[in-house]
Amino acid sequence: MCKTAASRLPTSTVIQIRNVDKAYATPAGPFHALRGIDLTIERGEIFGIIGRSGAGKSTLLRLLNLLERPTNGQVLIEDRDITQLDGADLRRLRQSVGVVFQHFNLLGSRTVYENVRLPLRVAGRLSKSEQGDRVREVLELVGLADQAAKYPRQLSGGQRQRVGIARALANRPNLLLCDEATSALDPETTQSILNLLLDINRRLQLTIVLITHGMDVIRAVADRVVVLDHGRVVEAGNVVDVFLAPQHATTRALLAESGIETESWHSALRDSPARVLRLTYRGPVVATPLLSELARELSLDFSIIQGSIGRIKDTPYGELTVSVEHLNDAALARLSEFLATREVRYEVLR
């Protein structure tokens, strides 16, 4: 019934989470923050974890540097089960995983330079001169080379988050975790930080895992996404697929909360006998006169009920909800064949 473009093939798996549970003891009994989590994260991708407050996002993220240990299951990074680490091995793991926090977590009594230098001092692998070179390098990378002598209170929110990103990159991590990194920022600053994360991902080929409660963040930067609800994965896949064809009610609700409404056509067509279709497509077909071709080739009359075009990370997409008069089964079969040649997915809503 539908045809879609081929998904991006993963190159290699960096993180595997296998059947992970996390429970906390409470006076009322165990609270299960995560249940049966299975997922993989590929090298060099931006991987999004989304869900409402209490869904288990932060708990899942904290498993990746072992700030939380699972009650059951395995967490593997580069095929190594990190749940078995402690002592010096655990410290080395945490030095290889950078973390960007929602509220920056900068030391107010230290300059930008000293905030970024701190993890290098703790690691103790570089000389003081080498530490200085690295601090200047990452400050240049995040666009703050001229702010090294300032204190956090002298910076804007976006600049402070850039300092946080520079600090997270100081030890040349293999993995960058972003814990609601844009939630404390205004929309314009959020976009600048997302652009910075995209640039870092592309220039350094750095694997980034981010958690958020906003679909707009996922749409802007992520390659793949999991949707959490009450500690369980309810949907997972490439962002384009999840965004254009959400399967779970939680995903559809999150999209609606981000201003992407897909079901409001019901009231407008309550008394109409027309059939209702949703067309979703991506890539070069977005720039073609799709409905004009359909009407001309199939002699059908379409009315647009809802529609949008945009981009999901680097992929242009379109989504149209249309009503079609006199669409019998034979005409629907011809329509299906035509759409398949254009790699357009369709769904009969009514």
Side-chain angles (χ1 to χ4, degrees), residues 274-275 294-295 298-303 322-327:
R275 300 184 83 164
L294 284 170
L298 303 177
S299 299
L300 293 173
D301 294 323
F302 294 89
S303 296
V322 298
S323 65
V324 191
E325 300 286 346
H326 312 300
L327 183 64

Side-chain angles (χ1 to χ4, degrees), residues 53-286:
S53 297
K57 305 186 300 297
S58 293
T59 302
L60 181 54
L61 193 75
R62 288 162 66 89
L63 293 176
L64 300 181
N65 60 0
L66 228 58
L67 290 177
E68 297 280 2
R69 290 181 180 268
T71 307
N72 298 297
Q74 293 179 300
V75 180
L76 286 80
I77 297 181
E78 303 283 3
D79 294 323
R80 185 185 193 189
D81 186 356
I82 67 170
T83 64
Q84 305 302 311
L85 301 181
D86 55 22
D89 289 336
L90 180 55
R91 288 192 294 274
R92 281 191 289 271
L93 166 73
R94 288 174 176 163
Q95 289 168 3
S96 71
V97 179
V99 183
V100 182
F101 299 95
Q102 178 179 359
H103 295 293
F104 322 132
N105 283 21
L106 302 178
L107 299 175
S109 61
R110 304 284 185 93
T111 63
V112 166
Y113 180 94
E114 287 299 333
N115 268 281
V116 176
R117 183 181 170 223
L118 181 60
L120 297 170
R121 292 176 60 191
V122 171
R125 293 194 296 265
L126 302 179
S127 68
K128 186 174 181 179
S129 174
E130 290 170 328
Q131 291 174 20
D133 290 342
R134 180 58 180 164
V135 170
R136 286 185 285 273
E137 182 181 357
V138 291
L139 286 178
E140 180 72 31
L141 179 64
V142 302
L144 293 179
D146 59 344
Q147 305 293 318
K150 290 187 177 180
Y151 289 86
R153 64 179 178 275
Q154 297 174 293
L155 304 178
S156 68
Q159 288 174 320
R160 279 179 278 173
Q161 192 57 286
R162 286 172 181 267
V163 176
I165 293 171
R167 180 185 57 192
L169 296 175
N171 271 322
R172 302 183 188 276
N174 301 319
L175 174 65
L176 185 65
L177 308 180
C178 297
D179 187 358
E180 297 275 13
T182 60
S183 294
L185 305 174
D186 62 70
E188 182 177 354
T189 307
T190 290
Q191 190 58 54
S192 73
I193 295 298
L194 294 178
N195 288 340
L196 175 61
L197 291 175
L198 277 171
D199 183 56
I200 289 168
N201 168 254
R202 289 165 176 163
R203 291 171 62 176
L204 306 182
Q205 291 298 295
L206 183 63
T207 305
I208 298 176
V209 181
L210 60 87
I211 64 172
T212 180
H213 60 271
M215 274 292 190
D216 289 341
V217 172
I218 297 297
R219 176 172 57 179
V221 299
D223 300 298
R224 292 192 300 133
V225 62
V226 295
V227 182
L228 292 185
D229 186 39
H230 294 93
R232 297 185 184 276
V233 173
V234 297
E235 191 155 358
N238 291 338
V239 170
V240 174
D241 295 326
V242 171
F243 187 89
L244 294 181
Q247 301 299 305
H248 195 271
T250 297
T251 312
R252 292 191 290 270
L254 288 166
L255 286 167
E257 289 164 12
S258 296
I260 304 157
E261 178 56 65
T262 60
E263 302 299 332
S264 61
W265 59 269
H266 290 278
S267 58
L269 295 179
R270 183 179 296 114
D271 300 321
S272 171
R275 300 184 83 164
V276 179
L277 308 180
R278 179 179 295 132
L279 313 179
T280 55
Y281 44 99
R282 66 191 79 173
V285 70
V286 172

